Amino acid sequence: MTDIATAFYTPLLWTGESDEVLRDVTLICEQGMLVEITAGRSPNATDLGNAAIIPPLVNAHCHLEFSQLKQPFVTNRPFPKWIGETMRTRRENQDVSAAIRAGIEESARVSVGFLADVKTQPVGCYPQTGDNQPEVILFQEVIGLTDEAVTNQKEQISAFVQESGSSRFGLSPHAPFTVRPDLLEHCVQLSQDMGIPLMMHLAETKAELELLTEGTGELVDMLSQFGMWSADMYPSGTRPLDLLKVLSHAPRVLLAHGNYLDEQEIQFLAEHPQMHIVYCPRTHHYFGHTQHPWQSMLEAGVNVAIGTDGRGSNPDLSIWNEVRFLKQQFPDVEPRRLLEMATINGAKSLGMETTIQIGRPANWTLLVLRNSEAKLMTSLQDLCQAEVLTTGPWI
Ligand SMILES: [Zn+2]
């Protein structure tokens, strides 16, 4: 954006604030801020063509380091085997910076405005993102089951916190089966002290529930093989709810997946609005899990965002493709709910408010529609069903 006022004419605008679709409007921006929305096409406005403007698409859970993969791993189960594939890929990747750059460029092409990434690599592997590229919010991955690993991780966390300075960032204690409870407590404490968010994979697989409750199953077998399982890590009968209680002391928490959270746990989330679910629809489908409770979560009042996860389980990093997938799988769902999950709910999980309003930054996603469709659209239902030729670049 320049200092000079810039105007954009669009046949369709959804601000994210209601069910209403505004037709034939001009958005006037000054110094990167939206200053006016006027009816009709203003003289000198740039015509965006057959396009719709919506709040920025948000990818609330990703692993950019796997973005060089052309397709998801052939092996999707058992889960420990899939984890083995990710570890092998990480080991064999000669140029992780290129993979991360490819993921950011892909995300820019599909008009993602904000992206939350689980960071396992040095900050130097991430390029500076420019105009029309997503803001990448790094969540330092934390994994530690042994005394040595826990000590080492605490040092790494301190170094990351210092180098992150004033940028938006967080910590990602990986999952219940890779983070010892005292290390999780440490992350929660730091999160409280510094006012930073946490992201954790939780209730992702049935094997994880079995590990917590019984101390048995394929994940226990995997950890035992590496000599990292300790039978007293969790008392018998531990549930995701017990971890939710620990995490609820953090000021903001993104829970990746939550595939197997039960009614009581969903109710707990509803009572703790600082806790957000990041549902990854196509990744969920890839693993063949039983139906995800996202609709019950929304009904209970839980904020549900959308993520892609990494390309080890998803064919691309497009959030719009997640919306289209959900629309096909759940044709009766209110379209506004899907659009909210893909945009403003994701922003909320990252501590931001991104509805399109006068006086706010002029950040939005542009959906380029198939010829002549934009003129015919009157509802969000139409928009959700539209064939989008391309998304972006986001303005
Ligand atoms: Zn993940």
Side-chain angles (χ1 to χ4, degrees):
M1 292 288 169
T2 63
D3 290 352
I4 307 157
T6 322
F8 300 96
Y9 164 73
T10 179
L12 277 177
L13 166 68
W14 178 60
T15 64
E17 290 189 295
S18 71
D19 286 322
E20 199 186 357
V21 178
L22 300 178
R23 294 175 54 82
D24 293 316
V25 292
T26 297
L27 294 95
I28 301 167
C29 312
E30 251 176 58
Q31 297 184 341
M33 304 298 279
L34 179 62
V35 293
E36 201 179 346
I37 300 174
T38 60
R41 180 177 173 169
S42 298
N44 305 323
T46 304
D47 189 341
L48 297 175
N50 266 314
I53 283 179
I54 63 172
L57 291 169
V58 177
N59 188 348
H61 179 69
C62 190
H63 300 259
L64 285 172
E65 63 172 310
F66 301 117
S67 302
Q68 83 282 16
L69 295 170
K70 299 284 175 259
Q71 57 189 31
F73 298 125
V74 175
T75 307
N76 64 346
R77 63 181 78 137
F79 191 54
K81 263 208 156 165
W82 182 86
I83 293 175
E85 288 291 303
T86 65
M87 287 161 68
R88 182 184 56 78
T89 302
R90 185 179 288 156
R91 245 187 348 261
E92 291 175 0
N93 187 359
Q94 301 290 316
D95 193 351
V96 71
S97 301
I100 290 170
R101 204 167 47 244
I104 292 172
E105 284 166 5
E106 182 190 346
S107 300
R109 282 198 300 277
V110 295
S111 206
V112 165
F114 299 94
L115 186 151
D117 188 49
V118 178
K119 169 195 166 294
T120 64
Q121 305 295 325
V123 171
C125 292
Y126 288 79
Q128 286 283 347
T129 53
D131 289 346
N132 299 328
Q133 285 196 321
E135 177 181 337
V136 179
I137 298 150
L138 299 180
F139 286 75
Q140 167 80 34
E141 185 171 76
V142 178
I143 288 182
L145 292 170
T146 61
D147 287 344
E148 192 190 350
V150 168
T151 306
N152 176 282
Q153 288 285 287
K154 286 181 181 173
E155 283 167 13
Q156 283 196 28
I157 292 168
S158 300
F160 171 67
V161 165
Q162 273 178 13
E163 73 182 328
S164 295
S166 59
S167 58
R168 270 193 271 254
F169 67 96
L171 299 177
S172 181
H174 174 254
F177 58 95
T178 49
V179 180
R180 214 168 65 180
D182 59 325
L183 185 56
L184 181 62
E185 293 273 5
H186 177 77
C187 292
V188 171
Q189 185 62 53
L190 211 59
S191 152
Q192 272 184 332
D193 294 347
M194 303 199 56
I196 58 171
L198 298 181
M199 180 190 283
M200 186 171 194
H201 298 84
L202 188 72
E204 184 176 2
T205 60
K206 288 179 181 165
E208 179 193 319
L209 300 194
E210 185 181 342
L211 174 143
L212 288 172
T213 314
E214 317 275 348
T216 55
E218 61 194 29
L219 285 171
V220 172
D221 296 343
M222 175 186 79
L223 294 172
S224 302
Q225 269 175 23
F226 294 121
M228 286 200 266
W229 173 246
S230 120
D232 60 358
M233 188 153 95
Y234 294 107
S236 167
T238 300
R239 305 166 49 194
L241 183 62
D242 298 302
L243 284 110
L244 289 178
K245 286 177 182 169
V246 174
L247 288 164
S248 69
H249 295 289
R252 185 155 40 87
V253 184
L254 291 83
L255 298 155
H257 310 299
N259 298 334
Y260 294 99
L261 292 176
D262 68 17
E263 237 173 75
Q264 198 188 354
E265 288 155 346
I266 292 170
Q267 192 50 40
F268 183 87
L269 292 179
E271 288 160 8
H272 294 80
Q274 80 277 27
M275 306 185 87
H276 311 264
I277 286 288
V278 186
Y279 169 36
C280 301
R282 287 182 296 162
T283 284
H284 178 272
H285 181 76
Y286 162 83
F287 283 113
H289 295 300
T290 54
Q291 191 137 326
H292 191 285
W294 61 279
Q295 288 168 285
S296 312
M297 289 169 170
L298 287 175
E299 273 165 35
V302 178
N303 185 53
V304 181
I306 291 180
T308 56
D309 221 342
R311 288 194 59 164
S313 56
N314 203 330
D316 59 56
L317 301 179
S318 167
I319 290 296
W320 189 255
N321 283 346
E322 301 291 348
V323 171
R324 294 198 69 191
F325 174 80
L326 286 175
K327 189 69 195 145
Q328 279 161 9
Q329 300 282 313
F330 305 92
D332 298 331
V333 169
E334 224 187 309
R336 182 178 170 189
R337 298 284 92 87
L338 298 182
L339 290 169
E340 284 174 342
M341 284 161 69
T343 58
I344 58 175
N345 289 10
K348 195 174 169 191
S349 77
L350 293 169
M352 292 178 285
E353 162 77 84
T354 54
T355 50
I356 298 174
Q357 282 184 37
I358 289 163
R360 289 247 174 89
N363 293 336
W364 50 70
T365 278
L366 184 68
L367 303 175
V368 182
L369 309 171
R370 208 163 61 135
N371 267 348
S372 79
E373 279 191 343
K375 298 267 179 238
L376 302 174
M377 287 184 182
T378 54
S379 68
L380 292 181
Q381 181 80 357
D382 294 339
L383 186 56
C384 266
Q385 284 169 338
E387 189 180 330
V388 174
L389 278 184
T390 166
T391 48
W394 80 291
I395 297 168

